[in-house]
Protein backbone atom coordinates (compact mmCIF):
# COMPACT_ATOMS: atom_id res chain seq x y z
CA UNK A 1 0.00 0.00 0.00
CA UNK A 2 1.53 3.30 -1.11
CA UNK A 3 1.74 6.13 1.45
CA UNK A 4 -0.65 9.03 1.05
CA UNK A 5 0.78 12.15 -0.69
CA UNK A 6 4.36 10.96 -0.45
CA UNK A 7 7.22 13.34 -1.33
CA UNK A 8 10.91 12.40 -1.76
CA UNK A 9 12.95 14.23 0.87
CA UNK A 10 16.68 13.63 0.59
CA UNK A 11 19.10 15.64 2.73
CA UNK A 12 19.04 18.90 0.73
CA UNK A 13 15.27 19.34 0.44
CA UNK A 14 14.87 18.15 4.03
CA UNK A 15 17.17 20.90 5.30
CA UNK A 16 15.31 23.53 3.28
CA UNK A 17 12.01 22.20 4.62
CA UNK A 18 13.25 22.53 8.20
CA UNK A 19 14.47 26.08 7.58
CA UNK A 20 11.21 27.17 5.98
CA UNK A 21 9.23 25.45 8.72
CA UNK A 22 11.20 27.38 11.36
CA UNK A 23 10.21 30.66 9.72
CA UNK A 24 6.56 29.64 9.36
CA UNK A 25 6.48 28.56 13.01
CA UNK A 26 7.57 32.00 14.22
CA UNK A 27 5.01 33.61 11.95
CA UNK A 28 2.42 31.35 13.60
CA UNK A 29 3.66 32.52 17.02
CA UNK A 30 3.14 36.13 15.91
CA UNK A 31 -0.33 35.39 14.50
CA UNK A 32 -1.33 33.51 17.66
CA UNK A 33 -0.22 36.46 19.79
CA UNK A 34 -2.31 38.83 17.65
CA UNK A 35 -5.31 36.54 18.06
CA UNK A 36 -4.87 36.63 21.83
CA UNK A 37 -4.67 40.43 21.87
CA UNK A 38 -7.65 40.86 19.52
CA UNK A 39 -9.79 38.36 21.41
CA UNK A 40 -8.96 39.94 24.78
CA UNK A 41 -9.83 43.41 23.46
CA UNK A 42 -13.13 42.21 21.97
CA UNK A 43 -13.99 40.37 25.19
CA UNK A 44 -13.39 43.52 27.25
CA UNK A 45 -15.53 45.59 24.86
CA UNK A 46 -18.41 43.11 24.99
CA UNK A 47 -18.27 43.00 28.78
CA UNK A 48 -18.25 46.79 28.96
CA UNK A 49 -21.27 46.97 26.64
CA UNK A 50 -23.00 44.03 28.31
CA UNK A 51 -25.70 46.29 29.72
CA UNK A 52 -26.83 47.06 26.16
CA UNK A 53 -26.98 43.45 25.00
CA UNK A 54 -29.70 40.87 25.81
CA UNK A 55 -28.88 38.49 28.69
CA UNK A 56 -29.22 35.42 26.45
CA UNK A 57 -26.65 36.59 23.90
CA UNK A 58 -23.88 34.22 22.84
CA UNK A 59 -21.43 36.95 21.82
CA UNK A 60 -18.91 36.16 24.56
CA UNK A 61 -18.41 32.71 23.01
CA UNK A 62 -16.43 34.20 20.11
CA UNK A 63 -13.62 35.86 22.08
CA UNK A 64 -13.41 32.93 24.48
CA UNK A 65 -13.02 30.42 21.64
CA UNK A 66 -10.56 32.77 19.95
CA UNK A 67 -8.50 32.95 23.15
CA UNK A 68 -8.21 29.16 23.23
CA UNK A 69 -7.40 29.09 19.50
CA UNK A 70 -4.73 31.75 19.90
CA UNK A 71 -3.13 29.94 22.84
CA UNK A 72 -3.09 26.65 20.93
CA UNK A 73 -1.64 28.31 17.83
CA UNK A 74 1.01 29.99 19.97
CA UNK A 75 1.99 26.66 21.51
CA UNK A 76 2.02 24.93 18.11
CA UNK A 77 4.25 27.66 16.69
CA UNK A 78 6.73 27.43 19.55
CA UNK A 79 6.77 23.63 19.29
CA UNK A 80 7.21 23.76 15.52
CA UNK A 81 10.10 26.22 15.80
CA UNK A 82 11.86 24.04 18.34
CA UNK A 83 11.27 20.79 16.43
CA UNK A 84 12.37 22.20 13.07
CA UNK A 85 15.56 23.59 14.59
CA UNK A 86 16.24 20.34 16.43
CA UNK A 87 15.83 18.36 13.18
CA UNK A 88 19.12 19.92 12.02
CA UNK A 89 20.98 19.08 15.23
CA UNK A 90 21.86 15.45 15.94
CA UNK A 91 22.26 16.15 19.65
CA UNK A 92 18.84 17.80 20.11
CA UNK A 93 16.59 15.76 17.84
CA UNK A 94 16.26 12.60 20.01
CA UNK A 95 14.60 14.66 22.76
CA UNK A 96 12.10 16.11 20.27
CA UNK A 97 11.49 12.85 18.43
CA UNK A 98 8.98 11.55 21.00
CA UNK A 99 7.24 14.94 21.23
CA UNK A 100 6.38 15.32 17.56
CA UNK A 101 3.46 12.88 17.66
CA UNK A 102 1.60 14.53 20.57
CA UNK A 103 2.38 17.98 19.14
CA UNK A 104 0.83 17.07 15.80
CA UNK A 105 -2.21 15.51 17.47
CA UNK A 106 -2.89 18.46 19.78
CA UNK A 107 -2.27 20.99 17.03
CA UNK A 108 -4.55 19.24 14.54
CA UNK A 109 -7.45 18.40 16.84
CA UNK A 110 -7.30 21.23 19.34
CA UNK A 111 -6.01 24.22 17.45
CA UNK A 112 -7.59 23.43 14.11
CA UNK A 113 -11.01 22.77 15.62
CA UNK A 114 -10.95 25.89 17.77
CA UNK A 115 -9.84 28.05 14.87
CA UNK A 116 -12.70 26.76 12.71
CA UNK A 117 -15.21 27.39 15.52
CA UNK A 118 -13.89 30.88 16.22
CA UNK A 119 -13.82 31.75 12.52
CA UNK A 120 -17.40 30.54 12.11
CA UNK A 121 -18.51 32.62 15.08
CA UNK A 122 -16.73 35.66 13.69
CA UNK A 123 -18.77 35.31 10.49
CA UNK A 124 -22.04 34.73 12.40
CA UNK A 125 -21.53 37.47 14.99
CA UNK A 126 -22.56 40.49 12.87
CA UNK A 127 -25.98 39.00 12.13
CA UNK A 128 -26.79 38.55 15.81
CA UNK A 129 -25.35 41.87 16.94
CA UNK A 130 -27.92 43.89 15.01
CA UNK A 131 -30.91 42.34 16.76
CA UNK A 132 -29.09 42.18 20.09
CA UNK A 133 -28.24 45.87 20.15
CA UNK A 134 -31.74 46.74 18.96
CA UNK A 135 -33.24 44.98 21.95
CA UNK A 136 -30.62 46.03 24.49
CA UNK A 137 -30.60 49.73 23.65
CA UNK A 138 -34.41 49.84 23.61
CA UNK A 139 -34.45 48.37 27.10
CA UNK A 140 -31.82 50.85 28.28
CA UNK A 141 -33.85 53.82 27.04
CA UNK A 142 -37.03 52.59 28.72
CA UNK A 143 -35.23 52.04 32.06
CA UNK A 144 -33.25 55.28 31.97
CA UNK A 145 -35.60 56.83 34.57
CA UNK A 146 -35.51 53.83 36.95
CA UNK A 147 -32.67 55.11 39.13
CA UNK A 148 -34.17 53.56 42.26
CA UNK A 149 -35.40 50.26 40.79
CA UNK A 150 -33.22 47.24 41.70
CA UNK A 151 -31.44 45.91 38.64
CA UNK A 152 -31.72 49.20 36.74
CA UNK A 153 -30.10 51.63 39.18
CA UNK A 154 -27.05 52.18 36.97
CA UNK A 155 -28.83 52.30 33.60
CA UNK A 156 -28.92 56.11 33.53
CA UNK A 157 -25.22 56.39 34.34
CA UNK A 158 -24.29 53.74 31.77
CA UNK A 159 -26.42 55.33 29.04
CA UNK A 160 -25.01 58.79 29.69
CA UNK A 161 -21.46 57.44 29.61
CA UNK A 162 -22.20 55.54 26.40
CA UNK A 163 -23.57 58.61 24.61
CA UNK A 164 -20.70 60.83 25.74
CA UNK A 165 -17.94 58.34 25.00
CA UNK A 166 -19.20 57.13 21.63
CA UNK A 167 -20.72 60.48 20.61
CA UNK A 168 -24.20 59.14 19.89
CA UNK A 169 -27.75 59.91 20.95
CA UNK A 170 -30.69 57.54 21.34
CA UNK A 171 -31.01 54.21 19.61
CA UNK A 172 -31.21 55.46 16.02
CA UNK A 173 -31.28 59.21 16.66
CA UNK A 174 -32.19 61.88 19.16
CA UNK A 175 -35.94 61.55 18.44
CA UNK A 176 -35.95 58.12 20.12
CA UNK A 177 -36.01 59.96 23.45
CA UNK A 178 -39.35 61.54 22.48
CA UNK A 179 -41.08 58.15 22.70
CA UNK A 180 -39.91 57.14 26.21
CA UNK A 181 -40.25 58.70 29.62
CA UNK A 182 -36.66 59.36 30.60
CA UNK A 183 -37.41 61.75 33.49
CA UNK A 184 -37.96 59.99 36.81
CA UNK A 185 -41.43 60.42 38.33
CA UNK A 186 -39.89 61.62 41.58
CA UNK A 187 -38.86 64.84 39.81
CA UNK A 188 -42.31 65.53 38.37
CA UNK A 189 -44.82 67.79 40.11
CA UNK A 190 -48.26 66.11 39.86
CA UNK A 191 -49.93 69.44 40.67
CA UNK A 192 -48.47 71.03 37.56
CA UNK A 193 -51.18 71.19 34.91
CA UNK A 194 -48.73 70.63 32.04
CA UNK A 195 -47.37 67.50 33.71
CA UNK A 196 -50.85 66.17 34.39
CA UNK A 197 -51.97 66.83 30.81
CA UNK A 198 -48.97 65.03 29.34
CA UNK A 199 -49.48 61.99 31.55
CA UNK A 200 -53.23 61.82 30.83
CA UNK A 201 -52.70 62.21 27.08
CA UNK A 202 -50.60 59.04 26.95
CA UNK A 203 -52.39 55.68 27.00
CA UNK A 204 -49.60 54.17 29.13
CA UNK A 205 -49.57 57.09 31.57
CA UNK A 206 -46.05 58.18 30.64
CA UNK A 207 -44.60 61.66 30.76
CA UNK A 208 -43.38 62.18 27.18
CA UNK A 209 -41.59 65.33 26.02
CA UNK A 210 -39.68 66.45 22.96
CA UNK A 211 -36.44 66.70 24.93
CA UNK A 212 -33.23 64.70 25.35
CA UNK A 213 -30.77 64.07 28.24
CA UNK A 214 -27.72 66.29 28.62
CA UNK A 215 -25.42 63.50 27.39
CA UNK A 216 -26.82 63.99 23.88
CA UNK A 217 -25.32 67.48 23.72
CA UNK A 218 -22.30 68.04 21.54
CA UNK A 219 -19.71 69.93 23.63
CA UNK A 220 -18.07 71.20 20.45
CA UNK A 221 -21.18 73.20 19.58
CA UNK A 222 -20.52 76.96 19.72
CA UNK A 223 -23.92 77.66 21.29
CA UNK A 224 -25.50 76.46 24.58
CA UNK A 225 -27.07 73.04 24.41
CA UNK A 226 -30.75 72.92 23.50
CA UNK A 227 -32.38 69.93 25.22
CA UNK A 228 -36.08 70.71 25.41
CA UNK A 229 -38.89 71.64 22.98
CA UNK A 230 -36.83 70.44 20.05
CA UNK A 231 -39.86 69.84 17.80
CA UNK A 232 -41.27 73.35 18.36
CA UNK A 233 -40.04 75.56 15.49
CA UNK A 234 -40.91 78.70 17.44
CA UNK A 235 -39.17 77.78 20.70
CA UNK A 236 -35.64 78.13 19.32
CA UNK A 237 -35.58 80.43 16.28
CA UNK A 238 -31.94 79.69 15.47
CA UNK A 239 -32.27 75.91 15.84
CA UNK A 240 -32.75 73.95 12.63
CA UNK A 241 -34.23 70.49 13.34
CA UNK A 242 -32.94 69.33 9.95
CA UNK A 243 -29.36 69.82 11.18
CA UNK A 244 -29.29 68.47 14.74
CA UNK A 245 -25.57 67.80 14.53
CA UNK A 246 -25.02 71.52 15.15
CA UNK A 247 -26.24 70.95 18.68
CA UNK A 248 -26.68 67.19 19.36
CA UNK A 249 -24.80 64.04 18.45
CA UNK A 250 -25.93 63.20 14.90
CA UNK A 251 -25.73 59.39 15.03
CA UNK A 252 -27.70 56.83 17.00
CA UNK A 253 -25.88 54.52 19.39
CA UNK A 254 -27.09 51.43 17.52
CA UNK A 255 -25.19 52.31 14.35
CA UNK A 256 -22.09 53.47 16.23
CA UNK A 257 -21.83 50.35 18.40
CA UNK A 258 -22.67 48.01 15.53
CA UNK A 259 -19.91 49.47 13.35
CA UNK A 260 -17.47 49.38 16.27
CA UNK A 261 -18.11 45.76 17.25
CA UNK A 262 -18.37 44.52 13.65
CA UNK A 263 -15.04 46.15 12.91
CA UNK A 264 -13.41 44.36 15.84
CA UNK A 265 -15.02 41.04 14.90
CA UNK A 266 -14.03 41.43 11.24
CA UNK A 267 -10.42 42.17 12.15
CA UNK A 268 -10.33 39.19 14.50
CA UNK A 269 -11.86 36.96 11.80
CA UNK A 270 -9.17 38.00 9.30
CA UNK A 271 -6.40 37.26 11.78
CA UNK A 272 -8.02 33.91 12.60
CA UNK A 273 -8.11 32.96 8.92
CA UNK A 274 -4.40 33.78 8.52
CA UNK A 275 -3.59 31.90 11.73
CA UNK A 276 -5.53 28.86 10.54
CA UNK A 277 -3.63 28.82 7.24
CA UNK A 278 -0.28 29.13 9.01
CA UNK A 279 -1.18 26.37 11.44
CA UNK A 280 -2.12 24.02 8.60
CA UNK A 281 1.19 24.70 6.84
CA UNK A 282 3.22 24.18 10.03
CA UNK A 283 1.44 20.92 10.86
CA UNK A 284 1.91 19.61 7.31
CA UNK A 285 5.60 20.52 7.36
CA UNK A 286 6.12 18.87 10.74
CA UNK A 287 4.38 15.69 9.54
CA UNK A 288 6.53 15.43 6.40
CA UNK A 289 9.67 16.13 8.41
CA UNK A 290 8.74 13.54 11.03
CA UNK A 291 7.98 10.74 8.57
CA UNK A 292 11.09 11.48 6.48
CA UNK A 293 13.35 11.20 9.53
CA UNK A 294 11.54 8.12 10.77
CA UNK A 295 12.32 6.47 7.44
CA UNK A 296 16.00 7.01 8.23
CA UNK A 297 15.65 5.74 11.78
CA UNK A 298 16.05 9.23 13.22
CA UNK A 299 19.46 9.81 11.59
CA UNK A 300 19.11 13.45 10.63
CA UNK A 301 22.19 13.61 8.42
CA UNK A 302 21.32 10.47 6.50
CA UNK A 303 21.17 10.96 2.74
CA UNK A 304 19.44 7.76 1.81
CA UNK A 305 16.31 7.39 -0.26
CA UNK A 306 13.56 8.51 2.08
CA UNK A 307 10.22 10.15 1.67
CA UNK A 308 7.75 12.06 3.77
CA UNK A 309 4.04 11.37 3.74
CA UNK A 310 0.84 12.24 5.58
CA UNK A 311 -0.50 8.73 6.20
CA UNK A 312 1.29 5.41 5.87
CA UNK A 313 -1.13 4.24 3.21
CA UNK A 314 -3.45 5.74 0.65
CA UNK A 315 -6.86 7.12 1.44
CA UNK A 316 -8.63 4.54 -0.74
CA UNK A 317 -6.82 1.71 0.99
CA UNK A 318 -7.82 3.10 4.38
CA UNK A 319 -11.47 3.33 3.35
CA UNK A 320 -11.40 -0.16 1.88
CA UNK A 321 -9.87 -1.61 5.03
CA UNK A 322 -12.35 0.23 7.25
CA UNK A 323 -15.26 -0.98 5.13
CA UNK A 324 -14.04 -4.54 5.32
CA UNK A 325 -13.67 -4.36 9.09
CA UNK A 326 -17.07 -2.72 9.51
CA UNK A 327 -19.11 -4.86 7.11
CA UNK A 328 -17.22 -8.13 7.03
CA UNK A 329 -18.66 -11.16 8.80
CA UNK A 330 -16.67 -13.27 11.18
CA UNK A 331 -15.33 -16.35 9.55
CA UNK A 332 -14.04 -19.10 11.78
CA UNK A 333 -10.39 -19.86 11.59
CA UNK A 334 -9.33 -23.16 10.09
CA UNK A 335 -8.52 -24.48 13.54
CA UNK A 336 -11.99 -23.46 14.74
CA UNK A 337 -13.80 -25.12 11.82
CA UNK A 338 -15.82 -28.10 12.93
CA UNK A 339 -14.57 -31.42 11.65
CA UNK A 340 -16.87 -33.20 9.36
CA UNK A 341 -17.80 -36.63 10.52
CA UNK A 342 -17.90 -39.18 7.79
CA UNK A 343 -20.91 -41.42 7.26
CA UNK A 344 -21.24 -44.22 9.75
CA UNK A 345 -19.75 -47.35 8.38
CA UNK A 346 -21.88 -50.47 8.74
CA UNK A 347 -20.28 -53.56 10.15
CA UNK A 348 -19.78 -55.97 7.34
CA UNK A 349 -20.53 -59.61 8.08
CA UNK A 350 -17.56 -61.81 8.31
CA UNK A 351 -16.99 -64.05 5.41
Amino acid sequence: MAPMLALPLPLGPRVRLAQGLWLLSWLLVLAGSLVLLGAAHLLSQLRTLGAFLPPSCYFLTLPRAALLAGATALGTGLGGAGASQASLDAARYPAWRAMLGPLLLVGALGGGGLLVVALGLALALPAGLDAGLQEGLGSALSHYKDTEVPGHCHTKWLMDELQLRHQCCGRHGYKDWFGVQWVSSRYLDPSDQDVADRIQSNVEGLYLTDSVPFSCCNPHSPRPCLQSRLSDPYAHPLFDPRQPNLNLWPQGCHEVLLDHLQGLAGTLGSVLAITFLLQVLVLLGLRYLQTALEGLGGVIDGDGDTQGYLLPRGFKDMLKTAWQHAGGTHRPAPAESPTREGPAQEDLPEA
Side-chain angles (χ1 to χ4, degrees), residues 35-49:
V35 169
L36 289 176
L37 292 176
H41 181 58
L42 180 58
L43 182 62
S44 66
Q45 291 293 307
L46 288 175
R47 285 181 174 175
T48 302
L49 301 173

Side-chain angles (χ1 to χ4, degrees), residues 45-180:
Q45 291 293 307
L46 288 175
R47 285 181 174 175
T48 302
L49 301 173
F52 310 105
L53 294 171
S56 59
C57 68
Y58 62 93
F59 307 127
L60 294 179
T61 308
L62 167 63
R64 288 170 181 169
L67 283 174
L68 293 176
T72 308
L74 182 63
T76 305
L78 292 174
S84 59
Q85 189 174 10
S87 65
L88 302 176
D89 188 350
R92 296 180 56 190
Y93 182 72
W96 282 90
R97 185 177 181 181
M99 298 173 57
L100 280 176
L103 178 64
L104 289 170
L105 182 62
V106 172
L109 298 181
L114 287 172
L115 282 172
V116 170
V117 171
L119 184 58
L121 288 173
L123 296 176
L125 180 66
L129 271 178
D130 192 1
L133 288 173
Q134 187 81 9
E135 178 184 350
L137 287 172
S139 177
L141 264 68
S142 62
H143 292 292
Y144 183 87
K145 68 180 187 303
D146 300 331
T147 55
E148 297 180 350
V149 178
H152 303 289
C153 302
H154 303 288
T155 303
K156 178 184 181 300
W157 176 77
L158 291 172
M159 193 67 196
D160 287 335
E161 185 182 22
L162 174 70
Q163 294 187 141
L164 289 172
R165 176 176 296 181
H166 291 274
Q167 301 182 358
C168 58
C169 181
R171 182 165 50 179
H172 298 289
Y174 73 98
K175 290 185 178 181
D176 290 333
W177 289 106
F178 297 176
V180 297

